[in-house]
Amino acid sequence: MISTTVLGALIAAASLFSLSSAQVTTSCNPLKGTCPNDKGLAASTYSVDFSTLKTLPAEWTLADYTNVTLGPQGAELTFAKRYDAPTMWTNFKFFFGRVEFVVRAAPGVGIVSSMVLLSADLDEVDWEFLGGATSSVQTNYFGKGYTGTYNRSTTPAVSNPQSTFYTYTLDWSPTALVWSIDGKAVRTLNAADADGNGSQYPQSPMRVSLSLWDAGDPDSPTQVWGGGITPIPPPEPYTIDVELGFYECEKCTRNVNNIFEEQQHCKFHLKESFTYEQQPIVELQSPNSD
């Protein structure tokens, strides 16, 4: 038997481990060198219905060794053997706005379904589902790749996320990040309250990454967090269906002095690319300040 992720039906516009580093890496970190421009979302809205397609849209990228099957339920990613980590992500980024996921998470001890926003300089925002946790979902955030002591997660209650569809939303602005389930806010992070006196607040253009990964590998440091050892081969298929939405915000641009500048004047707009010629938006605090 194999373990399967189905990423499905509609994407409407409006990484491997989140606790490790295999899928939350980037090809060029602008804090460590000169990087090429990143492609932006070239329209104010973006949509794709995977269930109607026979080939993956060009604006999506598959990780190495990832195969995707498109069918009536959407895009299907498969976890079939140890070390598999099927992942797909957008090859464009957006900067502030809303992302919606309509999700039925994958079951299975040790199996993690992840919906991650990730920037080139390793800002990160997460929804993560543990396959054996039938009454909660996890939220998390990181700034510039600094994980601290992994003390930033919360576990909002949600009933049977592995068998029931819910709408999970991220509303991301220069001043706050709100996680919601079916329209009800379950977590609000004010930028000024983020670790490092606000410097850890996600504040750079993000891509969307969707993945299924094994936290319960016998050699994994995430085994206890993941709920135990994952049976291999899996005893049953694991499926997840996802819908997303993307929006961009005008004038909420990179600013080396104040990330909140002009935040009262945000409007949706088009963005062809993002440049990385400036220094970090906020000077990072030392780890001791967290």
Side-chain angles (χ1 to χ4, degrees):
M1 194 71 73
I2 59 177
S3 169
T4 309
T5 298
V6 176
L7 306 171
L10 173 70
I11 295 184
S15 55
L16 169 61
F17 301 145
S18 181
L19 295 181
S20 181
S21 61
Q23 288 183 22
V24 287
T25 58
T26 56
S27 58
C28 185
N29 188 329
L31 301 183
K32 297 181 178 180
T34 301
C35 297
N37 291 356
D38 268 336
K39 181 179 179 181
L41 180 59
S44 57
T45 62
Y46 169 82
S47 63
V48 59
D49 185 345
F50 287 125
S51 69
T52 66
L53 303 178
K54 295 183 179 181
T55 59
L56 191 70
E59 60 271 16
W60 286 84
T61 298
L62 298 179
D64 290 344
Y65 310 110
T66 293
N67 295 311
V68 60
T69 301
L70 300 177
Q73 297 186 77
E76 182 179 273
L77 299 177
T78 301
F79 179 96
K81 61 185 183 300
R82 190 180 183 189
Y83 304 126
D84 276 357
T87 305
M88 59 190 293
W89 62 82
T90 59
N91 60 24
F92 61 81
K93 291 184 168 70
F94 72 105
F95 198 12
F96 299 124
R98 169 174 290 189
V99 181
E100 291 185 347
F101 308 84
V102 177
V103 175
R104 181 181 59 193
V109 172
I111 294 296
V112 182
S113 305
S114 295
M115 287 83 73
V116 176
L117 307 187
L118 184 69
S119 72
D121 54 7
L122 301 181
D123 284 348
E124 181 182 345
V125 182
D126 300 341
W127 283 108
E128 289 193 305
F129 303 84
L130 304 182
T134 59
S135 60
S136 65
V137 61
Q138 295 197 11
T139 74
N140 218 332
Y141 77 95
F142 304 104
K144 306 300 180 288
Y146 176 59
T147 59
T149 58
Y150 295 106
N151 61 341
R152 305 173 187 176
S153 66
T154 68
T155 53
V158 58
S159 179
N160 299 314
Q162 295 82 10
S163 60
T164 305
F165 286 90
Y166 295 94
T167 299
Y168 302 87
T169 302
L170 295 171
D171 284 297
W172 176 40
S173 78
T175 55
L177 179 58
V178 181
W179 290 256
S180 301
I181 301 177
D182 282 353
K184 181 180 179 180
V186 296
R187 180 182 188 180
T188 298
L189 172 69
N190 293 315
D193 296 332
D195 283 0
N197 296 322
S199 68
Q200 294 289 293
Y201 185 73
Q203 53 189 275
S204 48
M206 301 273 203
R207 75 185 187 198
V208 176
S209 178
L210 311 171
S211 68
L212 183 70
W213 62 278
D214 181 13
D217 184 88
D219 296 330
S220 173
T222 59
Q223 181 188 125
V224 173
W225 172 80
I229 297 176
T230 302
I232 300 294
E236 61 177 317
Y238 306 135
T239 60
I240 176 173
D241 295 287
V242 181
E243 298 178 1
L244 304 92
F246 304 93
Y247 299 88
E248 288 195 300
C249 188
E250 186 177 16
K251 296 185 179 179
C252 297
T253 55
R254 294 177 62 87
N255 185 294
V256 296
N257 297 315
N258 187 349
I259 66 170
F260 311 119
E261 182 173 313
E262 298 190 55
Q263 57 91 11
Q264 296 296 329
H265 306 287
C266 293
K267 298 178 181 178
F268 299 124
H269 79 307
L270 311 185
K271 185 74 172 179
E272 293 292 343
S273 66
F274 296 101
T275 60
Y276 295 107
E277 298 175 354
Q278 301 179 15
Q279 297 299 311
I281 301 171
V282 175
E283 182 180 353
L284 297 182
Q285 307 294 315
S286 68
N288 291 334
S289 67
D290 262 32

